[in-house]
Amino acid sequence: MPGPVRQSGTKDEFVELSVELTGFDTRELRATGMVDAYRDVLRTHATAEEYERLVAAAAEGAFASEPVGESAGESPGDPVPPDVAELAEAITRLWYTGVWPGLAGEAAFLVSARAYAEGLVWRTFGGRAPGAAPQGFGSWAEKPGGAAGSEVFR
């Protein structure tokens, strides 16, 4: 198993990186209550060097949804190295599903029942994790509140 991620990496730095990777804002990520648990998973399963390279790639705009260059027509920089992309994807999956997918052949695992319930995937459509939160009688017959494209369910 890899050594722990650098001790100097702050919680705020991890949250800012997660904002970049997930598209959710700081408040929403902190509201899950999973920042410490996810940071601990990362510190246990990724090396300090991998984390440093990921932070550097994010700082260079590698995961930005908008072009970072001087003009939108500017060609992108160097592609993200596969191991850095794998770590970025692992952190993103962790936030969305509560599952650490493993790196380089490592076995995937669910962080906790709470991680499943707090997964961002449920927030993307205004739903709740099945079996993890009281839905209320007959809730299966209702459209999820605030679901994008919910008019399809008419």
Side-chain angles (χ1 to χ4, degrees), residues 122 125-128 134-154:
W122 313 116
F125 64 89
R128 295 184 181 152
Q135 307 292 317
F137 181 77
S139 63
W140 57 88
E142 300 293 323
K143 294 183 286 191
S150 59
E151 62 277 353
V152 173
F153 298 110
R154 286 185 195 172

Side-chain angles (χ1 to χ4, degrees), residues 86-111:
E86 180 184 28
L87 181 56
E89 183 178 339
I91 293 170
T92 304
R93 285 185 182 196
L94 180 62
W95 276 106
Y96 274 85
T97 65
V99 173
W100 178 255
L103 299 173
E106 178 184 46
F109 64 90
L110 177 64
V111 172

Side-chain angles (χ1 to χ4, degrees), residues 33-142:
M34 299 306 300
V35 172
D36 290 327
Y38 290 169
R39 186 168 171 246
D40 288 346
V41 168
L42 175 65
R43 292 169 62 106
T44 302
H45 294 276
T47 66
E49 180 186 351
E50 290 168 330
Y51 183 72
E52 288 290 338
R53 291 174 60 212
L54 176 59
V55 169
E60 293 172 4
F63 308 106
S65 58
E66 298 293 327
V68 180
E70 291 180 18
S71 67
E74 190 174 302
S75 62
D78 294 331
V80 177
D83 60 328
V84 174
E86 180 184 28
L87 181 56
E89 183 178 339
I91 293 170
T92 304
R93 285 185 182 196
L94 180 62
W95 276 106
Y96 274 85
T97 65
V99 173
W100 178 255
L103 299 173
E106 178 184 46
F109 64 90
L110 177 64
V111 172
S112 66
R114 182 171 179 205
Y116 164 76
E118 294 295 338
L120 298 178
V121 66
W122 313 116
R123 295 169 191 242
T124 61
F125 64 89
R128 295 184 181 152
Q135 307 292 317
F137 181 77
S139 63
W140 57 88
E142 300 293 323

Side-chain angles (χ1 to χ4, degrees), residues 24-38:
F24 281 79
D25 66 32
T26 301
R27 181 191 55 78
E28 291 169 311
L29 295 179
R30 289 187 184 280
T32 67
M34 299 306 300
V35 172
D36 290 327
Y38 290 169

